[in-house]
Amino acid sequence: NSYAQEDVKKKEITFEVAGTCGMCKTRIEESLDIKGVKFAEWNKETHQCKVIFDPRKISEDEIHQAITKVGHDTDKIKATDEEYNNLHGCCHYVRIGETEQKH
C-alpha cells in the first residue's frame, strides 16, 4: 500500500512555541533546519509551530529539544533558564506556564 509508506516518510505536527518577535521566528525556524525536518514555520501571532518531518530520521522530542536549545519553551519541553536568559532582551517572552514577564 503506497499510502502507508508515504505516511512513514512524512508526519505533520503543530504545537505551541513561546516567542515574541521576528527575531524569535527566525531563531525558531533556523533551529529546525536539521536532518529529518522538511518544513518548519512559526506563527508570531498564534505561537503555533507547524513542522513536517521524517519520523524515521528525527523524533518529535528531538524537534522540541532543538527549539528549547535556542531558548524557546514549547508546550512539551521548557528551555533552561540559561538558554532563555541568552535570548536578546526583546525576545524575552512570558514563559509557558507563568503568568507574567520576569525582568
Coordinates of all heavy atoms in Angstrom, one line a residue:
N1 N 0.8 -1.2 0.0 CA 0.0 0.0 0.0 C 0.9 1.2 0.0 O 1.6 1.5 1.0 CB -0.9 0.0 1.2 CG -2.0 1.0 1.2 OD1 -1.8 2.0 0.5 ND2 -3.0 0.9 2.0
S2 N 0.9 2.0 -1.1 CA 1.8 3.2 -1.2 C 1.4 4.3 -0.2 O 2.3 5.0 0.2 CB 1.8 3.7 -2.6 OG 0.5 4.2 -3.0
Y3 N 0.2 4.4 0.2 CA -0.2 5.4 1.1 C 0.5 5.2 2.5 O 1.0 6.1 3.1 CB -1.7 5.5 1.3 CG -2.4 6.4 0.3 CD1 -3.4 5.8 -0.5 CD2 -2.2 7.7 0.3 CE1 -4.0 6.6 -1.5 CE2 -2.8 8.5 -0.6 CZ -3.7 8.0 -1.5 OH -4.4 8.8 -2.4
A4 N 0.5 4.0 2.9 CA 1.1 3.7 4.2 C 2.6 4.0 4.2 O 3.1 4.6 5.2 CB 0.9 2.2 4.6
Q5 N 3.2 3.7 3.1 CA 4.6 4.0 3.0 C 4.9 5.6 3.0 O 5.8 6.0 3.7 CB 5.2 3.5 1.7 CG 6.5 2.8 1.9 CD 6.9 2.1 0.6 OE1 6.3 2.2 -0.4 NE2 8.0 1.3 0.7
E6 N 4.0 6.3 2.4 CA 4.1 7.7 2.3 C 4.0 8.3 3.7 O 4.7 9.2 4.1 CB 2.9 8.3 1.5 CG 3.2 9.4 0.6 CD 4.6 9.7 0.1 OE1 5.1 8.8 -0.6 OE2 5.1 10.7 0.3
D7 N 3.1 7.8 4.6 CA 2.9 8.3 5.9 C 4.1 8.1 6.8 O 4.4 8.9 7.7 CB 1.7 7.6 6.6 CG 0.4 8.0 5.9 OD1 0.3 9.0 5.2 OD2 -0.6 7.3 6.2
V8 N 4.9 7.1 6.5 CA 6.1 6.8 7.3 C 7.1 7.9 7.0 O 7.9 8.3 7.9 CB 6.6 5.4 7.0 CG1 8.0 5.2 7.7 CG2 5.6 4.3 7.5
K9 N 7.2 8.4 5.8 CA 8.2 9.3 5.4 C 7.9 10.8 5.8 O 8.8 11.6 5.9 CB 8.4 9.3 3.9 CG 9.0 8.0 3.4 CD 9.1 8.1 1.9 CE 9.5 6.8 1.3 NZ 9.5 6.9 -0.2
K10 N 6.6 11.0 6.1 CA 6.3 12.4 6.4 C 5.2 12.5 7.4 O 4.1 11.9 7.3 CB 5.7 13.0 5.0 CG 5.6 14.5 5.1 CD 5.4 15.1 3.7 CE 4.0 15.2 3.3 NZ 3.7 15.9 2.1
K11 N 5.5 13.3 8.5 CA 4.5 13.5 9.5 C 4.4 15.0 9.8 O 5.4 15.7 9.7 CB 5.0 12.7 10.8 CG 3.9 12.8 11.9 CD 4.3 11.9 13.1 CE 3.3 12.0 14.2 NZ 3.7 11.2 15.3
E12 N 3.2 15.4 10.0 CA 3.0 16.9 10.3 C 2.5 17.0 11.7 O 1.5 16.3 12.2 CB 2.0 17.4 9.3 CG 1.7 18.9 9.5 CD 0.7 19.5 8.5 OE1 0.8 19.2 7.3 OE2 -0.1 20.3 9.0
I13 N 3.1 17.9 12.5 CA 2.7 18.3 13.8 C 2.6 19.8 14.0 O 3.3 20.5 13.3 CB 3.6 17.7 14.9 CG1 5.0 18.2 14.7 CG2 3.5 16.2 15.0 CD1 6.0 17.8 15.8
T14 N 1.7 20.2 14.9 CA 1.6 21.6 15.2 C 1.6 21.7 16.7 O 0.8 21.0 17.4 CB 0.3 22.3 14.6 OG1 0.4 22.1 13.2 CG2 0.3 23.8 14.9
F15 N 2.4 22.6 17.3 CA 2.4 22.8 18.7 C 2.8 24.2 19.1 O 3.3 25.0 18.2 CB 3.4 21.8 19.3 CG 4.8 21.8 18.7 CD1 5.8 22.6 19.2 CD2 5.1 21.1 17.5 CE1 7.1 22.7 18.7 CE2 6.4 21.2 17.0 CZ 7.3 22.0 17.5
E16 N 2.6 24.5 20.4 CA 2.9 25.9 20.8 C 4.4 26.1 21.1 O 5.1 25.2 21.7 CB 2.1 26.2 22.1 CG 2.3 27.6 22.6 CD 1.5 27.9 23.9 OE1 0.8 27.0 24.3 OE2 1.7 29.0 24.4
V17 N 4.9 27.2 20.6 CA 6.3 27.6 21.0 C 6.2 29.1 21.4 O 5.7 29.9 20.7 CB 7.3 27.5 19.7 CG1 8.7 27.9 20.1 CG2 7.3 26.1 19.2
A18 N 6.8 29.4 22.6 CA 6.8 30.8 23.1 C 7.8 31.6 22.4 O 8.9 31.2 22.1 CB 7.0 30.8 24.6
G19 N 7.4 32.9 22.1 CA 8.3 33.8 21.4 C 7.5 35.1 21.2 O 6.3 35.2 21.5
T20 N 8.2 36.2 20.8 CA 7.6 37.5 20.7 C 7.7 38.2 19.4 O 6.9 39.0 19.1 CB 8.2 38.4 21.8 OG1 9.6 38.6 21.5 CG2 8.0 37.9 23.2
C21 N 8.8 37.9 18.6 CA 9.1 38.9 17.5 C 9.6 38.1 16.3 O 9.8 36.9 16.3 CB 10.0 39.9 18.0 SG 11.7 39.3 18.4
G22 N 10.0 38.9 15.3 CA 10.6 38.4 14.1 C 11.9 37.7 14.3 O 12.2 36.7 13.7
M23 N 12.7 38.2 15.3 CA 14.0 37.5 15.6 C 13.7 36.1 16.2 O 14.4 35.2 15.9 CB 14.8 38.4 16.6 CG 15.5 39.5 16.0 SD 16.9 40.2 17.0 CE 16.0 40.6 18.5
C24 N 12.6 36.1 17.0 CA 12.2 34.7 17.6 C 11.8 33.8 16.4 O 12.3 32.6 16.4 CB 11.1 34.9 18.5 SG 11.4 35.8 20.0
K25 N 11.0 34.3 15.5 CA 10.6 33.5 14.3 C 11.8 32.9 13.6 O 11.9 31.7 13.3 CB 9.7 34.3 13.4 CG 9.2 33.6 12.2 CD 8.3 34.4 11.3 CE 8.0 33.8 10.0 NZ 7.2 32.6 10.1
T26 N 12.8 33.8 13.3 CA 13.9 33.3 12.6 C 14.7 32.3 13.4 O 15.1 31.2 12.8 CB 14.9 34.6 12.3 OG1 14.1 35.5 11.5 CG2 16.1 34.1 11.5
R27 N 14.9 32.6 14.7 CA 15.7 31.6 15.5 C 15.0 30.3 15.6 O 15.6 29.2 15.5 CB 15.8 32.3 16.9 CG 16.7 31.5 17.8 CD 16.9 32.1 19.2 NE 17.2 33.6 19.2 CZ 16.3 34.5 19.4 NH1 15.0 34.2 19.7 NH2 16.6 35.8 19.3
I28 N 13.7 30.3 15.8 CA 12.9 29.1 16.0 C 13.0 28.3 14.7 O 13.3 27.1 14.7 CB 11.4 29.4 16.4 CG1 11.4 29.9 17.8 CG2 10.6 28.1 16.2 CD1 10.1 30.6 18.1
E29 N 12.7 28.9 13.6 CA 12.7 28.2 12.3 C 14.1 27.7 11.9 O 14.3 26.6 11.4 CB 12.1 29.1 11.2 CG 10.6 29.3 11.4 CD 10.0 30.3 10.4 OE1 10.7 30.9 9.6 OE2 8.7 30.5 10.5
E30 N 15.1 28.5 12.2 CA 16.5 28.1 11.9 C 16.9 26.9 12.8 O 17.7 26.1 12.4 CB 17.5 29.2 12.0 CG 17.4 30.2 10.8 CD 18.4 31.4 10.9 OE1 19.1 31.5 12.0 OE2 18.4 32.1 9.9
S31 N 16.4 26.8 14.0 CA 16.8 25.7 14.9 C 16.3 24.4 14.4 O 16.8 23.3 14.7 CB 16.2 26.0 16.3 OG 14.8 25.7 16.4
L32 N 15.3 24.5 13.5 CA 14.7 23.3 12.9 C 15.2 23.0 11.5 O 14.7 22.1 10.8 CB 13.2 23.4 12.8 CG 12.6 23.4 14.3 CD1 11.1 23.7 14.2 CD2 12.8 22.1 15.0
D33 N 16.3 23.7 11.1 CA 17.0 23.4 9.8 C 17.9 22.3 10.1 O 19.2 22.5 10.1 CB 17.7 24.7 9.3 CG 18.2 24.5 7.9 OD1 17.9 23.5 7.3 OD2 19.1 25.4 7.5
I34 N 17.4 21.1 10.3 CA 18.2 19.9 10.7 C 17.7 18.7 10.0 O 16.6 18.7 9.4 CB 18.1 19.7 12.3 CG1 16.6 19.7 12.7 CG2 18.9 20.7 13.0 CD1 16.4 19.4 14.2
K35 N 18.5 17.7 10.0 CA 18.2 16.4 9.2 C 16.9 15.9 9.7 O 16.6 15.7 10.9 CB 19.3 15.4 9.5 CG 19.2 14.2 8.7 CD 20.3 13.2 9.0 CE 20.1 11.9 8.3 NZ 21.0 11.6 7.3
G36 N 16.0 15.6 8.7 CA 14.7 15.0 9.0 C 13.6 15.9 9.0 O 12.4 15.5 8.8
V37 N 13.9 17.2 9.2 CA 12.8 18.2 9.2 C 12.7 18.8 7.7 O 13.7 19.3 7.2 CB 13.1 19.4 10.1 CG1 12.0 20.5 10.0 CG2 13.1 18.9 11.6
K38 N 11.5 18.6 7.1 CA 11.3 19.0 5.8 C 10.7 20.4 5.7 O 11.0 21.2 4.7 CB 10.3 18.1 5.1 CG 10.8 16.6 5.0 CD 9.8 15.7 4.4 CE 10.2 14.3 4.3 NZ 11.5 14.0 3.7
F39 N 10.0 20.9 6.7 CA 9.4 22.2 6.7 C 9.1 22.6 8.1 O 8.7 21.8 9.0 CB 8.0 22.1 6.0 CG 7.2 23.3 6.0 CD1 7.4 24.4 5.1 CD2 6.2 23.5 7.0 CE1 6.6 25.5 5.2 CE2 5.4 24.6 7.1 CZ 5.6 25.7 6.2
A40 N 9.4 23.9 8.4 CA 9.1 24.4 9.8 C 8.7 25.9 9.6 O 9.3 26.6 9.0 CB 10.3 24.3 10.7
E41 N 7.5 26.2 10.3 CA 7.1 27.6 10.2 C 6.4 27.9 11.6 O 5.6 27.2 12.0 CB 6.0 27.8 9.1 CG 5.6 29.2 9.0 CD 4.6 29.4 7.8 OE1 3.6 28.7 7.8 OE2 4.9 30.2 6.9
W42 N 6.9 29.0 12.1 CA 6.3 29.5 13.4 C 5.5 30.8 13.2 O 6.0 31.7 12.5 CB 7.5 29.8 14.4 CG 7.0 30.3 15.7 CD1 6.4 29.5 16.7 CD2 7.1 31.6 16.3 NE1 6.1 30.3 17.8 CE2 6.5 31.6 17.6 CE3 7.6 32.8 15.8 CZ2 6.4 32.7 18.4 CZ3 7.5 33.9 16.6 CH2 6.9 33.9 17.9
N43 N 4.3 30.8 13.7 CA 3.4 32.0 13.6 C 3.5 32.9 14.8 O 3.2 32.4 15.9 CB 2.0 31.5 13.4 CG 1.0 32.6 13.1 OD1 0.9 33.5 13.9 ND2 0.3 32.5 12.0
K44 N 4.0 34.1 14.6 CA 4.2 35.1 15.7 C 2.9 35.4 16.4 O 2.9 35.6 17.6 CB 4.8 36.3 15.1 CG 5.3 37.3 16.1 CD 6.1 38.5 15.5 CE 5.1 39.5 14.9 NZ 5.8 40.7 14.4
E45 N 1.8 35.5 15.7 CA 0.5 35.8 16.3 C -0.1 34.7 17.2 O -0.6 34.9 18.3 CB -0.5 36.3 15.3 CG -0.3 37.7 14.8 CD 0.9 37.8 13.9 OE1 1.2 36.9 13.0 OE2 1.6 38.8 14.0
T46 N -0.1 33.5 16.6 CA -0.7 32.3 17.3 C 0.3 31.5 18.2 O -0.1 30.7 19.0 CB -1.3 31.4 16.3 OG1 -0.3 30.8 15.5 CG2 -2.3 32.1 15.4
H47 N 1.6 31.8 18.0 CA 2.7 31.0 18.6 C 2.6 29.5 18.3 O 3.2 28.7 19.0 CB 2.6 31.2 20.2 CG 2.9 32.6 20.6 ND1 2.6 33.0 21.9 CD2 3.3 33.7 19.9 CE1 2.9 34.3 22.0 NE2 3.4 34.7 20.8
Q48 N 2.0 29.2 17.2 CA 1.9 27.8 16.7 C 3.1 27.5 15.7 O 3.3 28.3 14.9 CB 0.6 27.5 16.0 CG -0.6 27.5 17.0 CD -0.5 26.5 18.1 OE1 -0.4 25.3 17.9 NE2 -0.5 27.0 19.4
C49 N 3.7 26.4 15.9 CA 4.8 26.0 15.1 C 4.3 24.7 14.3 O 3.9 23.7 14.9 CB 6.1 25.7 15.9 SG 7.5 25.4 14.9
K50 N 4.4 24.8 13.0 CA 4.0 23.7 12.1 C 5.3 23.1 11.6 O 6.1 23.8 11.1 CB 3.1 24.2 11.0 CG 2.7 23.1 10.0 CD 1.9 23.7 8.9 CE 1.6 22.7 7.8 NZ 0.8 23.3 6.7
V51 N 5.4 21.8 11.8 CA 6.6 21.1 11.4 C 6.2 19.8 10.6 O 5.3 19.1 11.0 CB 7.5 20.7 12.6 CG1 8.7 19.9 12.1 CG2 7.8 21.9 13.4
I52 N 6.8 19.7 9.4 CA 6.7 18.5 8.6 C 8.0 17.8 8.7 O 9.0 18.4 8.4 CB 6.2 18.8 7.2 CG1 4.8 19.5 7.2 CG2 6.2 17.5 6.4 CD1 4.4 20.0 5.8
F53 N 8.0 16.5 9.1 CA 9.3 15.8 9.3 C 9.2 14.4 8.9 O 8.1 13.8 8.7 CB 9.8 16.0 10.7 CG 8.9 15.3 11.7 CD1 9.3 14.1 12.3 CD2 7.7 15.9 12.1 CE1 8.5 13.5 13.2 CE2 6.9 15.2 13.1 CZ 7.3 14.0 13.6
D54 N 10.4 13.7 8.8 CA 10.5 12.3 8.5 C 10.7 11.6 9.9 O 11.9 11.7 10.4 CB 11.7 12.1 7.5 CG 11.8 10.6 7.1 OD1 11.3 9.7 7.9 OD2 12.4 10.4 6.1
P55 N 9.7 10.9 10.4 CA 9.9 10.3 11.7 C 10.9 9.2 11.7 O 11.3 8.7 12.8 CB 8.5 9.8 12.0 CG 7.8 9.7 10.7 CD 8.4 10.7 9.8
R56 N 11.4 8.8 10.6 CA 12.5 7.7 10.5 C 13.8 8.4 10.8 O 14.8 7.7 11.2 CB 12.5 7.1 9.1 CG 11.3 6.3 8.8 CD 11.3 5.9 7.3 NE 11.5 7.1 6.5 CZ 11.8 7.0 5.2 NH1 11.9 5.9 4.6 NH2 12.1 8.1 4.5
K57 N 13.9 9.7 10.7 CA 15.2 10.4 10.9 C 15.2 11.3 12.1 O 16.3 11.6 12.6 CB 15.5 11.3 9.7 CG 15.7 10.5 8.4 CD 16.0 11.4 7.2 CE 16.2 10.5 6.0 NZ 16.0 11.3 4.8
I58 N 14.1 11.7 12.6 CA 14.0 12.6 13.8 C 12.7 12.4 14.5 O 11.7 12.1 13.9 CB 14.2 14.1 13.4 CG1 14.4 15.0 14.6 CG2 13.1 14.6 12.5 CD1 14.9 16.4 14.3
S59 N 12.8 12.5 15.9 CA 11.6 12.2 16.7 C 10.9 13.6 17.1 O 11.6 14.6 17.0 CB 11.9 11.5 18.0 OG 12.6 12.3 18.8
E60 N 9.7 13.5 17.5 CA 9.0 14.8 18.0 C 9.8 15.4 19.2 O 10.0 16.6 19.2 CB 7.6 14.5 18.4 CG 6.6 14.2 17.2 CD 5.2 14.1 17.7 OE1 4.7 14.9 18.5 OE2 4.5 13.2 17.2
D61 N 10.3 14.5 20.1 CA 11.0 15.0 21.2 C 12.3 15.8 20.8 O 12.7 16.8 21.3 CB 11.4 13.9 22.2 CG 10.3 13.5 23.1 OD1 9.2 14.2 23.1 OD2 10.4 12.4 23.7
E62 N 13.0 15.2 19.7 CA 14.2 15.9 19.2 C 13.9 17.2 18.6 O 14.7 18.1 18.7 CB 14.9 14.9 18.2 CG 15.6 13.7 18.9 CD 16.0 12.7 17.8 OE1 15.3 12.4 16.9 OE2 17.1 12.2 18.1
I63 N 12.7 17.3 18.0 CA 12.3 18.6 17.4 C 12.1 19.6 18.5 O 12.5 20.7 18.5 CB 11.0 18.4 16.6 CG1 11.3 17.6 15.3 CG2 10.3 19.7 16.3 CD1 10.2 17.1 14.5
H64 N 11.3 19.2 19.6 CA 11.1 20.1 20.7 C 12.5 20.5 21.4 O 12.7 21.6 21.7 CB 10.2 19.4 21.8 CG 8.8 19.4 21.4 ND1 7.9 20.4 21.8 CD2 8.1 18.6 20.6 CE1 6.7 20.1 21.3 NE2 6.8 19.0 20.6
Q65 N 13.4 19.5 21.5 CA 14.7 19.8 22.1 C 15.5 20.8 21.3 O 16.2 21.7 21.9 CB 15.5 18.5 22.3 CG 14.9 17.7 23.5 CD 15.4 16.2 23.4 OE1 16.1 15.8 22.6 NE2 14.9 15.4 24.4
A66 N 15.4 20.7 20.0 CA 16.2 21.6 19.1 C 15.7 23.1 19.4 O 16.5 24.0 19.4 CB 16.0 21.2 17.7
I67 N 14.4 23.2 19.6 CA 13.8 24.6 19.8 C 14.2 25.1 21.2 O 14.6 26.2 21.4 CB 12.3 24.6 19.6 CG1 11.9 24.2 18.2 CG2 11.7 25.9 20.1 CD1 10.5 23.9 17.9
T68 N 14.1 24.2 22.2 CA 14.5 24.7 23.6 C 16.0 25.0 23.7 O 16.3 25.9 24.5 CB 14.1 23.6 24.6 OG1 14.8 22.4 24.4 CG2 12.6 23.4 24.6
K69 N 16.8 24.4 22.9 CA 18.3 24.6 23.0 C 18.6 26.1 22.5 O 19.6 26.6 22.9 CB 19.0 23.7 22.0 CG 19.3 22.3 22.7 CD 20.2 21.5 21.9 CE 20.4 20.1 22.5 NZ 20.0 19.0 21.6
V70 N 17.7 26.7 21.7 CA 17.9 28.1 21.3 C 17.1 29.1 22.2 O 17.1 30.2 21.9 CB 17.6 28.3 19.8 CG1 18.6 27.5 19.0 CG2 16.2 28.1 19.5
G71 N 16.5 28.5 23.3 CA 15.9 29.4 24.3 C 14.4 29.6 24.3 O 13.9 30.4 25.1
H72 N 13.7 28.8 23.5 CA 12.3 28.9 23.4 C 11.6 27.7 24.0 O 11.9 26.6 23.7 CB 11.8 29.1 22.0 CG 12.3 30.4 21.4 ND1 11.6 31.5 21.6 CD2 13.4 30.8 20.8 CE1 12.2 32.6 21.0 NE2 13.4 32.1 20.5
D73 N 10.6 28.0 24.9 CA 9.8 27.0 25.5 C 8.8 26.4 24.5 O 8.3 27.2 23.6 CB 8.9 27.5 26.7 CG 9.7 28.0 27.9 OD1 10.9 27.7 27.9 OD2 9.1 28.6 28.7
T74 N 8.6 25.1 24.5 CA 7.5 24.5 23.7 C 6.4 24.0 24.7 O 6.7 24.0 25.9 CB 8.0 23.3 22.8 OG1 8.2 22.2 23.7 CG2 9.2 23.7 22.1
D75 N 5.3 23.6 24.2 CA 4.3 23.1 25.1 C 4.6 21.7 25.7 O 3.9 21.2 26.6 CB 2.9 23.1 24.4 CG 2.9 22.2 23.1 OD1 3.8 21.4 22.9 OD2 1.9 22.4 22.4
K76 N 5.8 21.2 25.3 CA 6.2 19.9 25.8 C 7.5 20.0 26.6 O 7.6 19.2 27.6 CB 6.5 19.0 24.5 CG 6.4 17.5 24.8 CD 6.5 16.8 23.4 CE 6.2 15.3 23.6 NZ 6.3 14.6 22.4
I77 N 8.4 20.9 26.3 CA 9.7 21.0 27.0 C 10.0 22.5 27.2 O 9.8 23.3 26.3 CB 10.8 20.3 26.1 CG1 10.5 18.9 25.8 CG2 12.1 20.4 26.9 CD1 11.5 18.2 24.9
K78 N 10.5 22.8 28.4 CA 10.9 24.2 28.7 C 12.4 24.3 28.5 O 13.1 23.4 28.8 CB 10.6 24.5 30.1 CG 9.2 25.1 30.4 CD 9.0 25.5 31.8 CE 9.2 27.0 32.0 NZ 8.6 27.5 33.2
A79 N 12.7 25.5 27.9 CA 14.2 25.8 27.8 C 14.7 26.0 29.2 O 14.0 26.3 30.1 CB 14.3 27.1 27.0
T80 N 16.0 25.8 29.4 CA 16.6 26.0 30.7 C 16.6 27.5 30.9 O 16.5 28.3 29.9 CB 18.1 25.5 30.8 OG1 18.9 26.3 29.9 CG2 18.2 24.0 30.5
D81 N 16.8 28.0 32.2 CA 16.8 29.4 32.5 C 18.1 30.0 31.7 O 18.0 31.1 31.2 CB 17.0 29.7 34.0 CG 15.6 29.4 34.7 OD1 14.6 29.4 34.0 OD2 15.7 29.2 35.9
E82 N 19.1 29.3 31.7 CA 20.3 29.8 31.0 C 20.1 30.0 29.5 O 20.4 31.0 28.9 CB 21.5 28.8 31.2 CG 22.8 29.2 30.6 CD 23.9 28.2 30.7 OE1 23.7 27.2 31.3 OE2 25.0 28.5 30.1
E83 N 19.4 29.0 28.9 CA 19.1 29.2 27.4 C 18.2 30.4 27.2 O 18.4 31.2 26.3 CB 18.4 27.9 26.9 CG 19.4 26.7 26.8 CD 18.8 25.3 26.8 OE1 17.6 25.2 27.2 OE2 19.4 24.4 26.3
Y84 N 17.2 30.5 28.1 CA 16.2 31.6 28.0 C 16.9 32.9 28.2 O 16.7 33.9 27.5 CB 15.1 31.4 29.0 CG 14.2 32.6 29.1 CD1 13.1 32.8 28.2 CD2 14.3 33.5 30.2 CE1 12.3 33.8 28.3 CE2 13.4 34.6 30.3 CZ 12.4 34.7 29.3 OH 11.5 35.8 29.4
N85 N 17.8 33.0 29.2 CA 18.5 34.3 29.5 C 19.5 34.7 28.4 O 19.9 35.8 28.4 CB 19.2 34.1 30.9 CG 18.2 34.1 32.0 OD1 17.1 34.6 31.9 ND2 18.6 33.4 33.1
N86 N 19.9 33.7 27.6 CA 20.8 34.1 26.5 C 20.1 34.8 25.3 O 20.7 35.3 24.4 CB 21.5 32.8 26.0 CG 22.6 32.4 26.9 OD1 23.2 33.2 27.6 ND2 22.9 31.1 26.9
L87 N 18.7 34.8 25.4 CA 18.0 35.5 24.3 C 18.2 37.0 24.3 O 18.4 37.5 25.4 CB 16.5 35.2 24.4 CG 16.0 33.7 24.2 CD1 14.5 33.6 24.6 CD2 16.2 33.3 22.8
H88 N 18.1 37.6 23.2 CA 18.1 39.1 23.1 C 17.0 39.6 24.0 O 15.9 39.0 24.1 CB 17.9 39.5 21.7 CG 18.0 41.0 21.4 ND1 17.0 41.8 21.6 CD2 19.1 41.7 21.1 CE1 17.4 43.1 21.4 NE2 18.7 43.0 21.0
G89 N 17.2 40.8 24.6 CA 16.2 41.4 25.5 C 14.8 41.4 25.0 O 13.8 41.1 25.7
C90 N 14.6 41.8 23.7 CA 13.2 41.9 23.2 C 12.6 40.6 23.0 O 11.4 40.5 22.8 CB 13.2 42.8 22.0 SG 13.5 41.9 20.4
C91 N 13.4 39.5 23.0 CA 12.8 38.2 22.8 C 12.4 37.5 24.1 O 11.9 36.3 24.0 CB 13.9 37.3 22.1 SG 14.4 37.9 20.5
H92 N 12.5 38.1 25.2 CA 12.1 37.5 26.5 C 10.6 37.5 26.6 O 10.0 38.5 26.8 CB 12.7 38.2 27.7 CG 14.2 37.9 27.9 ND1 14.9 38.4 28.9 CD2 15.0 37.1 27.2 CE1 16.2 37.9 28.8 NE2 16.2 37.1 27.8
Y93 N 10.1 36.4 26.4 CA 8.6 36.1 26.3 C 8.2 35.7 27.7 O 9.0 35.3 28.6 CB 8.3 35.0 25.3 CG 9.1 33.8 25.5 CD1 8.8 32.8 26.4 CD2 10.4 33.6 24.9 CE1 9.5 31.7 26.7 CE2 11.1 32.5 25.1 CZ 10.7 31.5 26.0 OH 11.5 30.4 26.2
V94 N 6.8 35.6 27.9 CA 6.3 35.1 29.1 C 6.4 33.6 29.0 O 6.0 33.0 28.1 CB 4.8 35.5 29.3 CG1 4.2 34.8 30.5 CG2 4.6 37.0 29.4
R95 N 7.1 33.0 30.0 CA 7.4 31.5 29.9 C 6.1 30.8 30.0 O 5.2 31.1 30.7 CB 8.3 31.1 31.1 CG 9.6 31.9 31.4 CD 10.7 31.7 30.3 NE 11.1 30.3 30.0 CZ 12.2 29.7 30.6 NH1 12.9 30.4 31.5 NH2 12.5 28.5 30.3
I96 N 6.0 29.7 29.2 CA 4.8 28.8 29.2 C 4.6 28.3 30.6 O 5.5 27.9 31.3 CB 5.0 27.7 28.2 CG1 5.0 28.3 26.8 CG2 3.9 26.6 28.4 CD1 5.2 27.2 25.7
G97 N 3.4 28.5 31.1 CA 3.0 28.1 32.5 C 3.2 29.2 33.5 O 2.8 29.1 34.6
E98 N 3.8 30.4 33.1 CA 3.9 31.5 34.0 C 3.0 32.6 33.5 O 2.6 32.7 32.4 CB 5.4 32.0 34.0 CG 6.3 31.0 34.6 CD 7.7 31.4 34.7 OE1 8.0 32.6 34.5 OE2 8.6 30.5 34.9
T99 N 2.6 33.5 34.4 CA 1.6 34.5 34.1 C 2.1 35.8 33.7 O 1.5 36.6 33.0 CB 0.5 34.7 35.2 OG1 1.2 34.9 36.4 CG2 -0.3 33.4 35.4
E100 N 3.3 36.1 34.2 CA 3.9 37.5 33.8 C 5.3 37.4 33.5 O 6.0 36.5 33.9 CB 3.6 38.5 34.9 CG 4.2 38.1 36.2 CD 3.8 39.2 37.3 OE1 2.6 39.3 37.6 OE2 4.7 39.8 37.9
Q101 N 5.7 38.4 32.8 CA 7.1 38.6 32.3 C 8.1 38.8 33.5 O 7.8 39.6 34.4 CB 7.2 39.8 31.4 CG 8.5 40.0 30.7 CD 8.6 39.2 29.5 OE1 7.7 38.9 28.8 NE2 9.9 38.9 29.2
K102 N 9.2 38.1 33.5 CA 10.2 38.3 34.5 C 11.3 39.2 33.9 O 11.6 39.1 32.8 CB 10.9 37.0 35.0 CG 10.0 36.2 35.9 CD 10.8 35.0 36.3 CE 9.9 34.1 37.2 NZ 10.6 32.8 37.4
H103 N 11.8 40.2 34.7 CA 12.9 41.0 34.2 C 14.2 40.9 34.9 O 14.2 40.6 36.1 CB 12.4 42.5 34.3 CG 11.3 42.8 33.3 ND1 11.5 43.0 32.0 CD2 10.0 42.9 33.5 CE1 10.4 43.2 31.4 NE2 9.4 43.1 32.3

